[in-house]
Amino acid sequence: MPVHHFELLHGLIYASIRNEQYREHLHNEGYKYENRNFKGFCFSRLQGKHTASEGKLTFSSPVSFLFSTCDEQLMKELVSSLFTKDYVMIGHQRTTVLSVEQIEEKISERMRIRFLTPVTMYSTFMHNDKRKTYFYAPTEDDFSELIAANARKKYEAIFGQDPLDRTLTLTPLDKRHPKQVIFTFKKTIIKGWLGEFILQGDPELLKLVYDVGLGAKSSNGAGLFTVVSHLDAKTKCDKNRKI
């Protein structure tokens, strides 16, 4: 597999949706917020024992990946498709599905989290008649503010209303040396960040970003996180949609 294989897993997810009308709607429209389209899902890289050489990863069976969504229909489509097919294709690799497991994690209003895929946030602008993209670092004040604004847009797009509590902050534990990661998706270069962070806010809003990813490019695989520990007692544990 190529080192940067988010695109191949993205293709597997859409190929697993057997309802053609629903698949086209999700791909072309998704959940609308003004001129933005959110897809409502996120996923990880392949996980498992592997070796790396010349931009390629060679895995030893078994391998796995995490998929997370707020969309019940999408989850049902993916799981039923994986169970009924003799094999699935990841790129040009024919792969047999051994099992599907559900992960349950509690969500609270203040948590220590670890990003499983890079979290990213950016702005685009014109400079000298050229379109430029600026990726924010977690050490910049705008980073957390834009992450929060993005989360609220996702919430409104998916639920059709603003969250009752719009509070959300994301703070890196290591403020001096956050781990930068550069990856590509369909030949687009994306700069993101890994590591452990403090995520704080309303549990309803945090539950959504747990399901769909935090920050930009979530449906391209960015912003998937796991909970390391809870820093308060107030928790929320709805039916989780992460497999």
Side-chain angles (χ1 to χ4, degrees), residues 121-173:
M121 184 49 62
Y122 65 93
S123 293
T124 56
F125 56 93
M126 298 300 295
H127 180 68
N128 294 331
D129 295 327
K130 293 184 178 180
R131 190 178 182 86
K132 298 288 185 180
T133 300
Y134 178 80
F135 290 93
Y136 295 89
T139 51
E140 297 178 82
D141 292 338
D142 287 345
F143 180 82
S144 181
E145 294 175 4
L146 290 171
I147 288 282
N150 178 272
R152 291 190 289 266
K153 291 174 184 177
K154 289 176 179 174
Y155 191 99
E156 184 173 343
I158 292 167
F159 296 116
Q161 61 185 23
D162 286 332
L164 294 177
D165 187 338
R166 296 166 58 86
T167 304
L168 187 151
T169 58
L170 182 67
T171 308
L173 283 180

Side-chain angles (χ1 to χ4, degrees), residues 25-41:
H25 171 75
L26 183 66
H27 184 271
N28 298 328
E29 297 183 37
Y31 298 94
K32 286 185 173 293
Y33 177 87
E34 296 178 351
N35 62 341
R36 300 286 303 278
N37 295 327
F38 297 107
K39 310 306 181 183
F41 68 84

Side-chain angles (χ1 to χ4, degrees), residues 1-2 4-13 89-92:
M1 300 294 293
H4 303 294
H5 55 263
F6 279 127
E7 182 179 346
L8 300 183
L9 294 176
H10 185 266
L12 168 64
I13 292 165
M89 299 299 295
I90 304 178
H92 298 295

